[in-house]
């Protein structure tokens, strides 16, 4: 299965590392173009800066020569490089952009959004039907 990982921080790095150790292929890492300086091209490119933090998913992608796709507005032009990689599944963890329909419809199987936070502790009583 061809998997793309979107997000940043610890959760996205864990998702990318677990996929890279399995039989599935990690085809790219999707990053938020808003966080990158204006000098960066938001389209598919190999990151040339080797000073990326080792714990960040972008640093992992750089070391393993995995393409990085930068998205901002999720236009057809921005999503074209991701579409050419033909991902089957998009794993999302710690991504700061709300995903729009064009991106959600891109993977063949779909998208999985992972959360690392706990749900609030609520004591809701569920009434059973009588």
């Amino acid at each position: 299965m061809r998997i793309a990982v979107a997000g940043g921080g610890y959760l996205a790095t864990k998702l990318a590392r677990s996929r890279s150790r399995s039989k599935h292929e990690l085809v790219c890492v999707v990053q938020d173009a808003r966080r990158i300086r204006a000098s960066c091209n938001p389209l598919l490119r190999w990151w040339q800066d080797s000073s990326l933090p080792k714990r960040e998913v972008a640093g992992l992608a750089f070391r393993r020569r995995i393409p990085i796709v930068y998205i901002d507005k999720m236009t057809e032009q921005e999503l074209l490089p991701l579409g050419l990689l033909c991902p089957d599944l998009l794993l999302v963890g710690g991504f700061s952009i709300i995903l729009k329909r064009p991106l959600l419809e891109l993977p063949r199987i779909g998208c999985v959004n992972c959360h690392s936070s706990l749900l609030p502790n609520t004591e809701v009583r569920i009434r059973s039907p009588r």
Side-chain angles (χ1 to χ4, degrees):
M1 187 180 326
R2 298 173 56 83
I3 296 176
V5 174
Y10 183 76
L11 183 57
T13 305
K14 284 293 188 183
L15 289 171
R17 281 192 179 141
S18 64
R19 294 312 116 214
S20 65
R21 289 187 216 132
S22 69
K23 63 181 180 175
H24 306 295
E25 179 185 3
L26 183 59
V27 294
C28 74
V29 168
V30 180
Q31 292 284 281
D32 181 0
R34 299 174 203 175
R35 292 182 158 184
I36 307 301
R37 301 216 187 295
S39 62
C40 269
N41 183 353
L43 299 177
L44 178 68
R45 65 174 281 171
W46 292 99
W47 192 266
Q48 300 299 322
D49 185 10
S50 61
S51 65
L52 290 168
K54 292 181 180 179
R55 289 178 289 208
E56 285 291 326
V57 70
L60 175 75
F62 173 77
R63 287 189 307 283
R64 296 189 180 171
R65 299 196 177 273
I66 298 170
I68 301 174
V69 176
Y70 294 97
I71 62 170
D72 179 14
K73 298 178 182 174
M74 292 179 228
T75 62
E76 286 185 26
Q77 183 182 6
E78 276 187 340
L79 296 177
L80 180 64
L82 184 59
L84 294 174
L85 294 169
C86 302
D88 295 325
L89 185 66
L90 177 64
L91 297 177
V92 183
F95 202 58
S96 58
I97 299 177
I98 296 173
L99 304 181
K100 295 181 182 174
R101 185 172 299 277
L103 180 61
L104 293 173
E105 293 175 346
L106 193 62
R108 183 178 61 86
I109 296 173
C111 301
V112 177
N113 190 14
C114 304
H115 287 272
S116 60
S117 63
L118 296 174
L119 295 173
N121 185 9
T122 58
E123 298 198 18
V124 178
R125 295 180 187 208
I126 301 172
R127 295 183 183 188
S128 61
R130 293 182 185 179

